[in-house]
Amino acid sequence: MLEGVRGAFSRLVENIKTKSLSEKDVERYVNEFKLQLVSNDVALEVAEKLGEELSKRLRSMRFKRFGGAEEEVEKILEEILASVIHEADVDDVLRRIEEKRRSGEPFIILFVGPNGSGKTTTIVKFAKYLKSKGFESLIAASDTFRAGAIEQLKRLAEPIGIRIVSQKYGADSAAVAMDAVMSARANRIPVVLIDTAGRTEIDLNLLQEMNKIKRVVNPDLVIYVGDALAGNVAVEQARRFDEHVGIDYAILAKLDADARGGSAISISYSINKPILFVGVGQDLDSLKPFTRKLIMDLILSKSS
């Protein structure tokens, strides 16, 4: 995974690790690096930020020819990567859920994102993760638009003991969400996870629908689920949801299938929100807490 971005970084290291750099060298290598990043779905603003930081650092250093500066170059790359990757504190989210449980009120999480992002599967993975941490949850099937959405949720969730609250297709999605909240409150279930409709193209009607659900249930968190394979499209979609609905965290699905890697280092910087989890496989245990180290190690070839 992330072979494209990893290749851009490794080529940069090879280009400069044994050279004494002139101003022209720095400019040329930085420009090549930025172009390679953009061609691998890194958002332009992120590529510019990385290039700017890289240029500053390289101009302040002088590598001796045959000086073996590979470790020094990699340290620079680690530092500039760290400046654009925002990680979340999963333990903090779990603490907030526990505090709400003690108050007797359910902790409500609204999931938003486009069709095809892996949102529904991600929600069930999230429910299983919570269960492993001692928190039961139920899922509101508030995607009453997409054919098969309710059946998909039930097929995935019921075998692992996660209850689904649903109505018929075409029902008011906000009403379904409120039914789930009331059921959780009555049955002292500590977490409500709300699945919602998406569209291939993010339109005003969809955003208004998400806002209505948010107003009705007043969620504790709004989480955007993006498809790592969508590249810059995922970044723009996240930006629109954040502008119109408000996002607290992002989850990046299908990271294991992403050969380019641009979304992994673009999305949180572009919306200034941390990534909470990444999806790294098909099974329900494949949702992993996101860490800056995970992505940096993948990009800088420190793990496979």
Side-chain angles (χ1 to χ4, degrees), residues 108-110 194 213-222 248:
I108 304 166
I109 305 177
L110 175 64
I194 303 173
I213 299 173
K214 186 176 181 180
R215 289 195 309 271
V216 168
V217 301
N218 190 28
D220 296 278
L221 292 177
V222 178
D248 297 296

Side-chain angles (χ1 to χ4, degrees), residues 266-285:
S266 297
I267 197 163
S268 67
Y269 179 82
S270 297
I271 63 173
N272 196 29
K273 301 292 165 60
I275 297 176
L276 189 62
F277 287 94
V278 289
V280 293
Q282 298 288 327
D283 64 85
L284 295 182
D285 292 312

Side-chain angles (χ1 to χ4, degrees), residues 123-124 127 137-141 153 157 162-165 180 193-195:
I123 291 169
V124 179
S137 62
L138 61 77
I139 301 175
L153 263 180
I162 307 298
R163 185 180 154 216
I164 306 298
V165 174
L193 309 175
I194 303 173
D195 191 13

Side-chain angles (χ1 to χ4, degrees), residues 4-294:
V5 170
R6 184 187 307 136
F9 276 80
S10 63
R11 281 190 291 274
L12 178 68
V13 172
E14 287 301 313
N15 279 335
I16 67 179
K17 68 181 182 180
T18 61
K19 297 181 183 297
S20 178
L21 300 177
S22 67
E23 289 289 318
K24 287 186 177 180
D25 288 332
V26 170
E27 184 177 0
R28 176 160 59 92
Y29 290 136
V30 168
N31 284 338
E32 288 176 359
F33 178 62
K34 288 192 294 185
L35 286 173
Q36 289 166 0
L37 291 179
V38 171
S39 71
N40 283 287
D41 291 335
V42 175
L44 180 59
E45 63 191 295
V46 180
E48 291 287 355
K49 168 70 174 175
L50 291 172
E52 179 184 342
E53 293 298 320
L54 177 63
S55 182
K56 288 179 186 175
R57 296 297 299 273
L58 293 183
R59 284 189 167 92
S60 69
M61 304 186 71
R62 291 293 179 265
F63 302 123
K64 295 178 181 178
R65 198 169 184 80
F66 312 116
E70 184 170 358
E71 289 185 5
E72 199 167 356
V73 176
E74 288 182 348
K75 183 180 178 182
I76 291 173
L77 295 180
E78 285 182 4
E79 290 172 355
I80 66 171
L81 261 179
S83 71
V84 300
I85 298 174
H86 306 313
E87 65 181 6
D89 184 352
V90 177
D91 288 338
D92 182 61
V93 173
L94 296 177
R95 282 192 295 270
R96 290 180 60 187
I97 292 173
E98 178 59 29
E99 288 172 4
K100 204 81 182 287
R101 175 162 66 178
R102 289 176 183 173
S103 76
E105 285 293 310
F107 192 91
I108 304 166
I109 305 177
L110 175 64
F111 290 82
V112 300
N115 272 349
S117 67
K119 176 164 33 65
T120 298
T121 304
T122 295
I123 291 169
V124 179
K125 290 180 179 181
F126 193 94
K128 190 171 185 187
Y129 176 84
L130 289 176
K131 194 170 186 179
S132 74
K133 299 298 181 180
F135 296 105
E136 292 297 322
S137 62
L138 61 77
I139 301 175
S142 288
D143 182 355
T144 59
F145 175 80
R146 177 172 63 90
I150 298 170
E151 290 78 10
Q152 181 188 11
L153 263 180
K154 290 180 177 179
R155 177 175 54 82
L156 291 170
E158 289 178 350
I160 59 172
I162 307 298
R163 185 180 154 216
I164 306 298
V165 174
S166 64
Q167 295 182 17
K168 63 182 180 180
Y169 287 105
D172 186 331
S173 56
V176 177
M178 181 51 72
D179 278 354
V181 172
M182 293 174 66
S183 179
R185 187 175 290 135
N187 293 283
R188 300 191 67 81
I189 297 173
V191 185
V192 176
L193 309 175
I194 303 173
D195 191 13
T196 61
R199 304 285 192 278
T200 304
E201 297 296 330
I202 308 305
D203 59 22
L204 185 58
N205 288 337
L206 173 65
L207 296 171
Q208 288 174 340
E209 181 179 318
M210 299 304 103
N211 266 317
K212 180 181 178 182
I213 299 173
K214 186 176 181 180
R215 289 195 309 271
V216 168
V217 301
N218 190 28
D220 296 278
L221 292 177
V222 178
I223 296 179
Y224 168 81
V225 180
D227 180 354
L229 301 178
N232 276 316
V233 173
V235 175
E236 182 56 33
Q237 289 167 339
R239 186 179 284 116
R240 290 200 66 191
F241 274 107
D242 189 41
E243 288 173 353
H244 292 273
V245 183
I247 295 170
D248 297 296
Y249 295 106
I251 292 177
L252 202 55
K254 309 177 191 175
L255 185 67
D256 57 306
D258 183 10
R260 294 189 174 187
S263 296
I265 64 173
S266 297
I267 197 163
S268 67
Y269 179 82
S270 297
I271 63 173
N272 196 29
K273 301 292 165 60
I275 297 176
L276 189 62
F277 287 94
V278 289
V280 293
Q282 298 288 327
D283 64 85
L284 295 182
D285 292 312
S286 64
L287 192 68
K288 304 298 182 185
F290 174 85
T291 64
R292 186 182 288 120
K293 184 177 185 302
L294 168 69

